[in-house]
Amino acid sequence: MDRRALCFLSCCLLICVISAEIQEHGRTPKAQKKRGLKTARPGEVKPSGAPSGRKPKSDQSQKPLQKKTPSVVATPGPPASSILTQVLGRGHFQKVEDSLSLRAGEPLELRCRGKVVHWRVPVYLEEEGEGRLRIKHFSQHSRLQLVNSTGADTGEYSCWTRHCQDAQCSEGEDHQGKTFIFFTDPEELFVPTENYYEVVQLRSHQPVLLPCQVTNPLAQVTLHREFPPEEIPVDGTDISFDVKKGFTIHRPRASLAGSLFCLASLGGMRQISTKYMLIYINYPSSSPKPTIQASATSVQLGDNFSVTCTVLSEPEIAVDFRWEYPGQKLGRPPYISEWADVVRRKGQVQQEAGSTLYVEEARAGDAGVYICRATNLQGTGTATTRVRVTRNPGVSPAPS
């Protein structure tokens, strides 16, 4: 009996130990799962529209901000060095992109980081003065606020600051920021201007901008001639379009002279821009490079001589000549003739323009330096030469 009792007690003890272990292992996964949920919940990120449990009341105040989060994350922002940010709400900022679209009437608030901040806004707002535009400077940043915005406020907004240390100041990419803001207006596809017609010089060697800016970057814009009515092709090489600037004529030519305008289309709406009256000017590629030559570098008293100044340039380029000569001090009137001829040099057609200064009955006071100044729309070039006046033996000196 003693042996059986001892065996029975041993079996009972073994059963208790196994039961305790099973019970312990059964609890552990539940506890770990519970701890895992508690740890993951604060940092949990869910896709937009994913089902979830009931949120605390405090989360409801963040609802408007949560709606804006996907657009901020999905759209790449400017470099991290930008000092310009847009204020979306109290304590909520986002770095500005290269361009931004707001509806006309919406307020705009920008913040620029720096101790001494300078702003640049569209000329329209600069001329308006204080009113809708308000700028306030703080110790570490500056704030720009625009209220009652209109389509005319469309343009570039930028700020910059100088970083100074040990009496040395520097400017760099990390000290400036800019963005182009479209204030979309369903009634105005083009940024309003005061002029119905605008005269534009179409210079032969310089790109020309037709600033027909739109208030909505989605508008389709084409370039047209008024008389005869036709659309002008835009190939991106001779003529290109930038939604922030307008049409740029990279290779001006006389055939584009006349009245042009831009046509914008969006949805079922169409509008025309200011009309641009283009005047073609055959513009020089550089300032004149005159050459000068006297008929004789040494003349005798009483002889006649001349000094000629010539300029080679593109055809139909106007050149003005001006002389400085020793006889001016004596009150001698100038005798000058000018001309312009078309010549062929090295297979190219060029214009040779010239001016000749005549001096009759040379006097001692006519000796000295002769200066020719040739001027076109690009600048002035200068050429000089010297003439000596000698006495002929056996001839009495002429009065000076």
Side-chain angles (χ1 to χ4, degrees), residues 93-365:
F93 311 91
Q94 82 172 18
K95 292 179 181 178
V96 295
E97 302 174 20
D98 181 64
S99 63
L100 179 66
S101 292
L102 300 175
R103 289 186 63 86
E106 287 186 17
L108 169 69
E109 184 172 345
L110 299 175
R111 177 175 291 192
C112 190
R113 187 178 67 254
K115 292 184 179 180
V116 181
V117 175
H118 304 274
W119 291 91
R120 184 177 288 115
V121 298
V123 177
Y124 171 80
L125 283 173
E126 290 181 354
E127 296 175 349
E128 187 179 271
E130 291 190 6
R132 297 184 303 113
L133 179 68
R134 300 159 192 168
I135 295 176
K136 188 174 182 180
H137 301 286
F138 300 89
S139 60
Q140 298 296 326
H141 71 276
S142 181
R143 183 184 67 199
L144 180 149
Q145 291 179 315
L146 177 64
V147 296
N148 299 326
S149 60
T150 67
D153 300 328
T154 297
E156 186 176 276
Y157 293 74
S158 62
C159 69
W160 71 96
T161 181
R162 303 183 69 189
H163 177 69
C164 299
Q165 186 174 4
D166 299 332
Q168 292 185 350
C169 298
S170 63
E171 295 181 359
E173 292 184 359
D174 55 335
H175 302 309
Q176 56 184 310
K178 64 180 180 180
T179 184
F180 193 96
I181 303 179
F182 296 92
F183 288 95
T184 60
D185 188 338
E187 297 182 359
E188 292 287 350
L189 295 183
F190 286 104
V191 177
T193 61
E194 295 180 354
N195 302 323
Y196 182 73
Y197 267 100
E198 185 175 332
V199 177
V200 178
Q201 289 186 356
L202 194 61
R203 300 177 177 180
S204 58
H205 287 79
Q206 183 176 337
V208 178
L209 176 66
L210 305 183
C212 43
Q213 291 181 330
V214 290
T215 62
N216 194 319
L218 301 179
Q220 298 296 318
V221 188
T222 51
L223 183 61
H224 297 260
R225 182 187 300 279
E226 188 173 17
F227 302 109
E230 62 177 351
E231 181 177 344
I232 297 177
V234 177
D235 57 5
T237 302
D238 291 343
I239 304 177
S240 64
F241 178 72
D242 187 330
V243 71
K244 299 177 184 177
K245 298 178 181 179
F247 287 97
T248 299
I249 302 175
H250 300 279
R251 299 176 183 176
R253 55 186 185 272
S255 60
L256 290 173
S259 179
L260 305 184
F261 63 90
C262 306
L263 175 65
S265 304
L266 184 63
M269 187 175 182
R270 303 176 75 195
Q271 279 187 352
I272 65 172
S273 69
T274 293
K275 295 183 179 179
Y276 301 97
M277 183 61 67
L278 273 62
I279 300 175
Y280 182 76
I281 300 176
N282 196 5
Y283 207 77
S285 59
S286 62
S287 58
K289 296 177 177 59
T291 59
I292 192 169
Q293 185 175 9
S295 59
T297 57
S298 179
V299 299
Q300 295 181 351
L301 287 170
D303 287 350
N304 299 334
F305 69 94
S306 63
V307 183
T308 300
C309 182
T310 58
V311 172
L312 279 175
S313 64
E314 299 94 344
E316 300 180 3
I317 295 296
V319 180
D320 295 326
F321 294 93
R322 186 163 56 88
W323 287 95
E324 295 179 17
Y325 56 98
Q328 285 176 311
K329 300 176 182 178
L330 307 177
R332 303 252 288 168
Y335 297 95
I336 298 173
S337 66
E338 296 183 354
W339 77 95
D341 296 322
V342 175
V343 296
R344 184 176 291 274
R345 299 286 175 87
K346 297 180 180 180
Q348 293 185 345
V349 176
Q350 292 181 302
Q351 174 183 269
E352 182 182 67
S355 176
T356 300
L357 173 68
Y358 298 95
V359 179
E360 296 180 349
E361 299 180 358
R363 304 177 183 180

